[in-house]
Amino acid sequence: MKRNRITGAVILAVAFLFNIQGASAQFGGLLDKASKAVASKGSKVLGLDKLLKEPEAISTSFEDVNRKGEQMPDFQNTAVYKPLENLQKNGHDGYLLEAGHFEMTNKSYCLKAGTYAPSKGDGYMYAPTLGKKRDVVIAILKSAEKHPEVAQSDIQMLLWTIIAKTKFIDYSGPVKETALKLLTAEQILHLEGGALGVLPFDVVQKAKDQMPPAVQTIFEAENNIRQLVSSGNYSYADFEQYAILAGMAEPRTDVPSGIWTLHPDGYYVRYYPSGYAVTKVQVYVPQELITKLNGKKLVYDATDDIACPANTGSQRLAQTNEPIRDYMLSH
C-alpha cells in the first residue's frame, strides 16, 4: 500500500509538472517541495539489498559483442570511403546502405559515468543497446535529430542523469528543460521505473562496502550526478568531473583500435572515437550482401548502436545519425 501511494505521488507530480508548465513561477516552489517529499519517501522504501540488485539503466558491456566474423584493422585497407551522410535517408531512421565503403564523423555520447574517456589505442566494437532504459535513450537520440537547437552538451547531461537512474521528480534546471523538449509525457513517466532518489551518505557507504572498487567508483559517480541535477545549480563541467575519470585505461592488445565488427545485418562496422563526443564510423557493405537481399532495404540506424570498449574501464559510446561537418579526425 505504501509503495502504491509513492508511485501515485510520482505520477501526480509529473502530471502536475506538465499542467503548470508556462504558468507563473510561484508554482515552482510547491513542485520542488512535492518532489523532495516523494524522493525522500522513495529512498526510505528502497532497502540496501534491493539497491544492490537494481539493474543498470543501460547494461551493454563487451560481453554483448559478437566477435564472430571480426576482422583486424588491415581488412579492406586499400578502400576509398564515401560520405555515409550522402546516402539516401530512411525517413527518421538512418540511412539506406548500398554496396561500398562509407564513413561519417558523427555526434556520440558517453553512456557510462565514472569511467575513462576513450584513448588512442582503445579498441571499440559494435554492440546493441541493452538495459532497462534502452527505449528512452534511443528515443532521445532520435528526437535530437529533429531538434538541432538543443546543444549536444545538454543532451549529454540528460543521458548521464538517465544512466545514473535519476528520478524525473528530482530534475531541475536545463536538464529538465531538455527532457521536456525531447521526450513525450509517457517516456518521462518511464524514467521513474527503477530510478533512485539522492541516497544518504550512510546508505552510499554501506552499499560501497559490498562492491568491488571499480563498481564503487561508478556507484558514487551516479549518486553525485543525481545530487547535482536535483540541486538546480550546475554546469556541464560539474557533470563531467563526476562522469569522466582523469587519466586513461590500459588498452587491450587483443582488440586493437580499428578492429571491424560483423554487424548482425551483414555489413562491417568500426569506430574511431575522438574523446566521447565525436566518433568516426566506417562501414563496409559487401556487394554479395546487397545481391542476397534482392531489393530489400538495408538500413544503417546508429541510434541503437553502442561502440563498446574492450577495456571495461573505458566509456561505452552511443552512436547517432547526426554528422559533424568539417571535423578533421586522425587515427
Side-chain angles (χ1 to χ4, degrees):
M1 181 64 72
K2 188 175 182 181
R3 184 184 181 116
N4 289 339
R5 286 201 302 270
I6 293 170
T7 302
V10 171
I11 294 173
L12 182 61
V14 174
F16 178 56
L17 171 62
F18 279 95
N19 287 334
I20 68 167
Q21 208 178 6
S24 65
Q26 61 179 318
F27 290 104
L30 180 59
L31 180 60
D32 288 343
K33 289 178 182 178
S35 302
K36 290 174 182 177
V38 172
S40 176
K41 289 179 182 178
S43 297
K44 291 176 183 177
V45 170
L46 191 66
L48 188 58
D49 289 344
K50 184 179 177 182
L51 174 63
L52 294 170
K53 294 176 183 176
E54 191 64 43
E56 290 185 84
I58 296 297
S59 60
T60 302
S61 72
F62 197 71
E63 293 178 357
D64 299 308
V65 173
N66 184 349
R67 300 188 64 177
K68 185 177 180 180
E70 69 180 37
Q71 298 290 340
M72 290 296 109
D74 59 356
F75 178 63
Q76 299 290 311
N77 62 352
T78 60
V80 176
Y81 291 84
K82 301 174 184 177
L84 192 153
E85 62 268 33
N86 287 352
L87 291 173
Q88 182 181 345
K89 294 293 291 287
N90 184 49
H92 294 298
D93 296 319
Y95 301 87
L96 294 172
L97 289 175
E98 56 191 48
H101 300 80
F102 306 92
E103 66 182 11
M104 178 170 69
T105 300
N106 55 252
K107 296 178 182 178
S108 55
Y109 294 93
C110 167
L111 286 185
K112 195 161 189 176
T115 49
Y116 295 100
S119 57
K120 189 161 183 155
D122 284 345
Y124 277 76
M125 299 185 74
Y126 162 84
T129 308
L130 303 171
K132 201 166 185 177
K133 296 296 185 287
R134 170 189 181 273
D135 291 344
V136 173
V137 167
I138 292 174
I140 289 169
L141 300 179
K142 285 187 178 297
S143 183
E145 294 181 50
K146 306 170 193 174
H147 291 278
E149 77 280 5
V150 180
Q152 184 176 1
S153 57
D154 288 335
I155 296 170
Q156 178 64 80
M157 287 192 292
L158 174 59
L159 290 171
W160 274 329
T161 65
I162 292 171
I163 298 308
K165 309 185 193 78
T166 309
K167 286 180 175 292
F168 181 75
I169 207 77
D170 287 337
Y171 278 26
S172 62
V175 172
K176 180 191 283 186
E177 294 173 13
T178 303
L180 290 170
K181 186 167 286 189
L182 298 183
L183 294 172
T184 65
E186 184 179 355
Q187 289 163 343
I188 285 176
L189 283 175
H190 183 58
L191 291 179
E192 294 298 320
L196 303 175
V198 178
L199 301 175
F201 178 78
D202 59 331
V203 173
V204 172
Q205 291 306 115
K206 287 178 183 177
K208 285 174 61 178
D209 289 344
Q210 300 183 41
M211 298 174 178
V215 179
Q216 288 180 20
T217 302
I218 293 170
F219 177 76
E220 189 166 30
E222 290 179 352
N223 193 55
N224 286 334
I225 286 171
R226 291 193 296 272
Q227 195 165 29
L228 193 62
V229 72
S230 68
S231 73
N233 183 22
Y234 53 79
S235 65
Y236 184 76
D238 294 328
F239 269 85
E240 199 173 42
Q241 71 171 329
Y242 294 130
I244 314 299
L245 294 181
M248 63 179 65
E250 287 293 325
R252 275 176 51 169
T253 56
D254 62 319
V255 186
S257 175
I259 190 170
W260 292 90
T261 308
L262 178 60
H263 191 276
D265 290 340
Y267 59 85
Y268 293 87
V269 62
R270 66 175 171 181
Y271 307 97
Y272 290 106
S274 178
Y276 58 84
V278 178
T279 302
K280 182 177 182 177
V281 179
Q282 292 187 328
V283 173
Y284 164 53
V285 184
Q287 178 61 57
E288 310 88 79
L289 174 61
I290 298 299
T291 302
K292 184 179 177 181
L293 288 172
N294 193 27
K296 292 182 181 178
K297 288 183 179 180
L298 180 63
V299 178
Y300 175 79
D301 183 1
T303 58
D304 190 19
D305 296 3
I306 289 181
C308 199
N311 190 311
T312 56
S314 295
Q315 296 162 354
R316 55 196 173 198
L317 305 176
Q319 300 302 302
T320 73
N321 300 322
E322 295 187 79
I324 299 177
R325 307 286 181 179
D326 303 321
Y327 188 92
M328 299 300 296
L329 183 65
S330 60
H331 58 267

